[in-house]
Amino acid sequence: MLVTSVDALLAAASALIVGAAGWSLCAMRQRTGRGALADEATFAALHTVSVASTSLRAGLTEDSARKAVRHLRDLLGVPVLAVTDTERLLVWEGGIAHSDSTLRLAGPVLAGTRPRVIVRELDPCGDPHCQVRVALIAPLTIDGKVAGALAAYADRARFQRLRILGEVARWMSGQLELAEL
């Protein structure tokens, strides 16, 4: 009987400590504002993914790519985002220059399964203020076969952006596989 009382007391004390720690963490986040920013960023990312996934349920088409890319460009933080299938450019969201070279630049990605960073092969558009200096291209796969590519164009290559692009391409691939079911 005494053991049960001690166990109950320890459980109650543990619950109070965990509750107090949680309360103090929330209070600290509210004072510093870090929690609110993280919460907003998390909400924005999840909302973007939710909206884009609805579009991709139709498969890899011009219409579905156009609707999804509109939202994903902001998520990736790039001035231009493009999607191809294995034969043509489906959508180019952002500036006009450089769109004609997307399929050519995506060729090695479409032939394999590895992402690619392109700097020197980009066709210069002649605009000194152009934000398209680098192309980051990742494969879109369905059942292990390359079905297209996701290309993000930016002013410079950053490792974090390449990682994020790879994750978005994997997520898109998963949505496209679901569309095939």
Side-chain angles (χ1 to χ4, degrees), residues 52-68:
S53 66
T54 304
S55 304
L56 295 171
R57 288 187 195 133
L60 190 57
T61 65
E62 283 183 32
D63 189 50
S64 67
R66 180 181 48 78
K67 289 176 182 175

Side-chain angles (χ1 to χ4, degrees), residues 52-54 56-57 170-180:
S53 66
T54 304
L56 295 171
R57 288 187 195 133
R170 276 190 284 282
W171 169 80
M172 285 180 69
S173 296
Q175 296 302 306
L176 294 171
E177 284 185 6
L178 289 173
E180 296 284 315

Side-chain angles (χ1 to χ4, degrees), residues 53-100:
S53 66
T54 304
S55 304
L56 295 171
R57 288 187 195 133
L60 190 57
T61 65
E62 283 183 32
D63 189 50
S64 67
R66 180 181 48 78
K67 289 176 182 175
V69 163
R70 185 179 323 146
H71 303 287
L72 296 175
R73 184 166 67 102
D74 291 335
L75 179 69
L76 289 165
V78 294
V80 176
L81 191 62
V83 176
T84 74
D85 61 14
T86 56
E87 299 172 357
R88 63 196 166 103
L89 177 66
L90 297 176
V91 66
W92 174 273
E93 176 79 16
I96 297 169
H98 308 284
S99 63
D100 55 341

Side-chain angles (χ1 to χ4, degrees), residues 101-127:
S101 63
T102 299
L103 199 59
R104 176 181 56 81
L105 296 173
V109 174
L110 295 170
T113 57
R114 297 191 53 148
R116 186 170 184 226
V117 177
I118 300 159
V119 179
R120 298 192 195 320
E121 297 170 48
L122 276 177
D123 299 327
C125 65
D127 180 0

Side-chain angles (χ1 to χ4, degrees), residues 157-172:
R158 292 189 329 201
F159 180 69
Q160 296 89 345
R161 186 173 285 150
L162 181 61
R163 286 180 57 198
I164 294 168
L165 179 74
E167 289 302 317
V168 170
R170 276 190 284 282
W171 169 80
M172 285 180 69

